[in-house]
């Protein structure tokens, strides 16, 4: 069938609320990786979603999307996370504060190719490629001026949570440190030197710099 010939699904709105859960119910883990715009599959739906433990899924949530309801950002993300099976190790959530229910064209151009690359790499078991694509996704979001958070399963029991752009450091303090060429060990660049990152901390440190 068509699903067997498909490498990746991209669904949105009702596609995430109805179509993808139906595919999962019918074919389980054999359903291709999915990018779910609006994150409908991770909502409180009338029919409980049978989410396969091995499903590969990337949710795109919008801060201005009416799917968010009255949730704060933190509550919205927490609600989405708790609907992912605890045994699942291949789910990511991208929350963009400026995104409405119909994503801006410029946003989709920025994020969709990278999101697809992430789920394809996850499906193929190429974890190094997943990390690289996540890093490139964060770079593109930061460069384009979007704000929000990227969450993804680093393991079945651990969620990585990266804010973009990072406001962890005081701007005035960072300016002084950069002017003096001071390295504080918190990701502040030394003048004229690139950031040197371990793979474990690469994305978190990237946005502190």
């Amino acid at each position: 069938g068509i699903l067997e010939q498909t490498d990746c699904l991209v669904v949105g709105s009702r596609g995430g609320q109805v179509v993808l859960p139906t595919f999962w119910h019918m074919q389980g883990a054999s359903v291709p990786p999915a990018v779910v715009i609006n994150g409908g599959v991770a909502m409180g739906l009338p029919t409980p979603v049978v989410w396969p433990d091995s499903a590969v899924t990337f949710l795109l949530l919008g801060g201005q999307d009416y799917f968010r309801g009255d949730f704060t950002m933190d509550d919205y993300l927490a609600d989405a996370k708790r609907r992912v099976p605890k045994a699942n190790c291949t789910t990511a959530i991208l929350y963009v504060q400026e995104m409405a229910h119909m994503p801006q064209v410029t946003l989709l151009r920025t994020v969709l190719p990278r999101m697809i690359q992430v789920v394809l790499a996850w499906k193929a078991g190429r974890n190094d490629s997943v990390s690289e694509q996540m890093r490139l996704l964060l770079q593109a979001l930061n460069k384009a001026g979007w704000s929000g958070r990227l969450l993804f399963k680093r393991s079945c029991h651990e969620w990585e949570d990266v804010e973009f752009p990072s406001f962890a450091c005081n701007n005035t303090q960072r300016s002084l440190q950069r002017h003096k060429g001071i390295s504080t060990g918190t990701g502040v660049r030394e003048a004229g030197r690139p950031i040197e990152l371990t793979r474990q901390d690469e994305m978190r440190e990237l946005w502190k710099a």
Side-chain angles (χ1 to χ4, degrees), residues 186-202:
T186 58
V188 177
R189 300 178 192 227
E190 293 184 31
R193 294 185 60 186
I195 303 174
E196 295 182 4
L197 306 173
T198 65
R199 180 169 298 277
Q200 180 178 5
D201 295 327
E202 60 181 352

Side-chain angles (χ1 to χ4, degrees), residues 83-112:
R83 299 181 190 281
V84 180
K86 291 183 179 180
N88 179 275
C89 304
T90 48
T91 297
I93 303 171
L94 176 61
Y95 173 92
V96 180
Q97 178 60 40
E98 299 84 0
M99 188 186 105
H101 188 71
M102 182 66 71
Q104 296 88 329
V105 172
T106 52
L107 174 62
L108 286 182
R109 286 175 178 166
T110 299
V111 304
L112 189 56

Side-chain angles (χ1 to χ4, degrees), residues 42-60:
M43 297 177 67
L45 302 173
T47 302
V49 174
V50 182
W51 193 314
D53 287 345
S54 60
V56 179
T57 317
F58 206 145
L59 312 181
L60 176 59

Side-chain angles (χ1 to χ4, degrees), residues 99-132:
M99 188 186 105
H101 188 71
M102 182 66 71
Q104 296 88 329
V105 172
T106 52
L107 174 62
L108 286 182
R109 286 175 178 166
T110 299
V111 304
L112 189 56
R114 295 295 181 198
M115 295 175 77
I116 292 173
Q117 289 300 316
V118 166
V119 296
L120 292 178
W122 243 336
K123 183 67 174 179
R126 301 195 311 270
N127 290 333
D128 286 349
S129 181
V130 171
S131 297
E132 176 66 8

Side-chain angles (χ1 to χ4, degrees), residues 112-173:
L112 189 56
R114 295 295 181 198
M115 295 175 77
I116 292 173
Q117 289 300 316
V118 166
V119 296
L120 292 178
W122 243 336
K123 183 67 174 179
R126 301 195 311 270
N127 290 333
D128 286 349
S129 181
V130 171
S131 297
E132 176 66 8
Q133 291 300 326
M134 291 291 194
R135 185 184 67 81
L136 293 173
L137 174 59
L138 283 167
Q139 277 189 336
L141 286 160
N142 190 60
K143 182 177 180 181
W146 301 101
S147 63
R149 284 162 64 185
L150 173 64
L151 301 88
F152 59 95
K153 284 291 198 84
R154 185 171 287 280
S155 69
C156 293
H157 306 291
E158 180 185 4
W159 283 91
E160 183 75 14
D161 188 342
V162 184
E163 181 182 3
F164 59 90
S166 174
F167 300 107
C169 297
N170 177 273
N171 288 336
T172 302
Q173 183 181 17

Side-chain angles (χ1 to χ4, degrees), residues 16-18 20-26 40-52 83:
Q17 292 179 316
V18 179
L20 182 58
T22 299
F23 286 163
W24 280 348
H25 179 73
M26 294 173 60
V41 71
M43 297 177 67
L45 302 173
T47 302
V49 174
V50 182
W51 193 314
R83 299 181 190 281

